Amino acid sequence: GAVVSQHPSRVICKSGTSVKIECRSLDFQATTMFWYRQFPKKSLMLMATSNEGSKATYEQGVEKDKFLINHASLTLSTLTVTSAHPEDSSFYICSARPSGGVTGELFFGEGSRLTVL
Amino acid sequence: QQQVKQSPQSLIVQKGGISIINCAYENTAFDYFPWYQQFPGKGPALLIAIRPDVSEKKEGRFTISFNKSAKQFSLHIMDSQPGDSATYFCAATFGSARQLTFGSGTQLTVLP
């Protein structure tokens, strides 16, 4: 299947700093990418839909100024957690939908574990 | 309307047994139903998926059964192996953006 690479896989930062997570589709172009947040032993919670060349669409309750999403190319979307606080500690996962894909398949990255001290 | 309900929350099966996980949905606009497998610390991986025009799909030891009238679908894992121990999520999609609505997950443990 298609490969989605997410980096970094783990990051530890101090409270108040900003952290950037990258999501790359390695062997396909993705017009649309999705960002999820997952708490321990819980399901994935959609945070936002990232569309190449346009502003991201955020789910209700997700602060767009807190979680900055940029989808500048067809293979790269970034999530920046600004002024991170301990409550932002979580597992963040991206997924990508191949452009022109008709099956509805989404391919997921390996996830990024953020720990804010 | 957008919710997908998944059960059981956890499941313990002996090696060689059949694991069955069930999901139910309300929104009849859903038109694609994938199952994902997730190991600890990893992202979900697509396992198998079905569309509503088919009542069953089988890939190796994994089978999806789909009941459109009951708005239910289930994952059957035949000859379950310890390596199948993971969390399984059912999901459904609707709309042009194809965003996924996930079930709550089932933690499967296959005992050796």
Side-chain angles (χ1 to χ4, degrees):
Chain A
V3 178
V4 175
S5 173
Q6 202 170 326
H7 178 81
S9 58
R10 291 176 180 272
V11 56
I12 301 173
C13 69
K14 293 183 178 180
S15 185
T17 61
S18 295
V19 174
K20 180 185 285 188
I21 301 170
E22 293 186 347
C23 179
R24 293 181 184 272
S25 55
L26 297 186
D27 51 1
F28 65 96
Q29 293 184 330
T31 306
T32 304
M33 291 185 174
F34 302 93
W35 287 95
Y36 296 84
R37 183 172 182 176
Q38 187 177 34
F39 292 102
K41 297 188 183 298
K42 297 294 184 183
S43 189
L44 285 78
M45 181 185 76
L46 180 66
M47 297 175 65
T49 300
S50 168
N51 297 294
E52 187 268 337
S54 63
K55 291 183 179 180
T57 303
Y58 290 81
E59 294 300 300
Q60 190 173 8
V62 178
E63 299 176 59
K64 61 180 181 180
D65 295 330
K66 174 75 170 176
F67 299 100
L68 299 179
I69 291 172
N70 184 278
H71 192 160
S73 77
L74 286 172
T75 59
L76 173 65
S77 177
T78 61
L79 168 68
T80 301
V81 183
T82 62
S83 186
H85 291 281
E87 57 265 30
D88 299 324
S89 298
S90 192
F91 193 51
Y92 293 89
I93 309 172
C94 71
S95 69
R97 179 171 71 88
S99 300
V102 296
T103 62
E105 277 188 329
L106 287 180
F107 299 96
F108 284 82
E110 287 289 276
S112 299
R113 172 77 59 194
L114 170 62
T115 302
V116 185
L117 303 177
Chain B
Q1 276 285 314
Q2 297 187 21
Q3 200 173 18
V4 176
K5 295 182 179 180
Q6 183 172 346
S7 63
Q9 184 176 1
S10 62
L11 180 62
I12 300 175
V13 174
Q14 293 284 343
K15 179 182 177 181
I18 303 173
S19 304
I20 302 174
I21 305 171
N22 301 298
C23 283
Y25 64 97
E26 289 295 324
N27 192 339
T28 55
F30 286 142
D31 59 0
Y32 180 71
F33 302 87
W35 283 89
Y36 287 86
Q37 179 188 56
Q38 185 180 30
F39 293 103
K42 300 294 183 181
L46 178 65
L47 197 60
I48 187 172
I50 198 168
R51 295 193 178 278
D53 53 347
V54 178
S55 61
E56 186 176 281
K57 183 174 181 180
K58 182 177 181 179
E59 290 184 1
R61 295 185 295 111
F62 302 94
T63 300
I64 299 178
S65 295
F66 187 85
N67 186 329
K68 188 175 181 178
S69 60
K71 291 185 286 187
Q72 295 175 346
F73 59 110
S74 60
L75 175 69
H76 296 234
I77 305 175
M78 311 299 288
D79 188 25
S80 299
Q81 298 297 312
D84 297 330
S85 297
T87 300
Y88 292 81
F89 293 97
C90 63
T93 65
F94 76 106
S96 58
R98 288 291 184 183
Q99 63 189 52
L100 284 170
T101 298
F102 280 93
S104 54
T106 297
Q107 187 169 351
L108 171 66
T109 302
V110 181
L111 300 176

